[in-house]
Amino acid sequence: AIEGVLAVVGSPTSDGRYLIPEEVSNRDLPRPALVQTATEEGHTGAEVAGRFDTIEYIPVADFERRDEFNLTDVRDEAVVVWATGTLDSSEHAADAERMIENGAGISIDMPPERIAAFDPETFEEVPEDEVDFQSLMEGAYLIGIGGKIAAATIVSIPAFEEASIILSAGN
């Protein structure tokens, strides 16, 4: 079995992306668990290795495994996207297991339904007509994304530092 933090809503990634609170959900379960064994752009070359059977949205303040999953520095208002599932019996599942044991993270596959600029200090949305294009290009805003999680991919370097997955007992 596998379990872990797929992403954190309402807390920015190191590269300035920000999942918009109240605007992130998931497609109907189960959702594919993929594995990307080579570092490529996006999730190119990822193969199905299993599935996620549950996805929950838990406020960080209520998340009991905060220390274990390196969430002590994440603001209480953020929301953990917590998932559980299983790996299948494919060669890709063996790759996934090996990568997880070697500290790989996980990255969500989420086609954006909405993109907006957010203030990196206040986490307030910046009205479109107030966004300065030059500042946007220079990374002065967080890029807010809303949508439905379609899958998650085990990767070497996830966008969310806190996104991690472990092999767990059960199932």
Side-chain angles (χ1 to χ4, degrees):
I2 51 176
E3 63 183 6
V5 175
L6 300 187
V8 183
V9 179
S11 179
T13 62
S14 56
D15 65 359
R17 286 180 283 173
Y18 177 76
L19 298 178
I20 304 170
E22 312 290 326
E23 293 189 32
V24 174
S25 60
N26 52 270
R27 293 181 182 174
D28 291 345
L29 296 167
R31 292 284 90 222
L34 298 104
V35 61
Q36 182 190 44
T37 54
T39 302
E40 295 190 48
E41 191 64 35
H43 299 163
T44 302
E47 299 279 358
V48 175
R51 64 193 233 175
F52 290 103
D53 297 303
T54 71
I55 298 178
E56 296 175 81
Y57 300 85
I58 305 167
V60 168
D62 299 336
F63 186 62
E64 294 173 0
R65 298 169 73 179
R66 202 167 172 171
D67 289 347
E68 180 185 354
F69 282 90
N70 195 27
L71 294 162
T72 48
D73 294 338
V74 175
R75 59 198 208 108
D76 285 348
E77 299 82 5
V79 173
V80 170
V81 181
W82 177 256
T84 63
T86 54
L87 295 174
D88 58 29
S89 57
S90 69
E91 64 182 271
H92 305 301
D95 288 334
E97 201 167 303
R98 178 179 52 80
M99 287 182 67
I100 291 167
E101 287 170 347
N102 287 321
I106 191 146
S107 178
I108 57 171
D109 297 278
M110 187 179 82
E113 293 176 5
R114 189 166 91 85
I115 295 177
F118 280 75
D119 184 298
E121 303 296 320
T122 65
F123 301 107
E124 295 293 321
E125 186 169 342
V126 178
E128 205 171 330
D129 58 0
E130 292 177 23
V131 172
D132 177 69
F133 185 74
Q134 185 66 37
S135 299
L136 180 69
M137 299 316 309
E138 293 168 0
Y141 303 104
L142 296 174
I143 303 303
I145 306 164
K148 289 182 180 169
I149 297 168
T153 303
I154 297 161
V155 296
S156 300
I157 305 167
F160 281 100
E161 192 177 329
E162 305 83 10
S164 65
I165 189 161
I166 61 171
L167 299 169
S168 58
N171 297 25

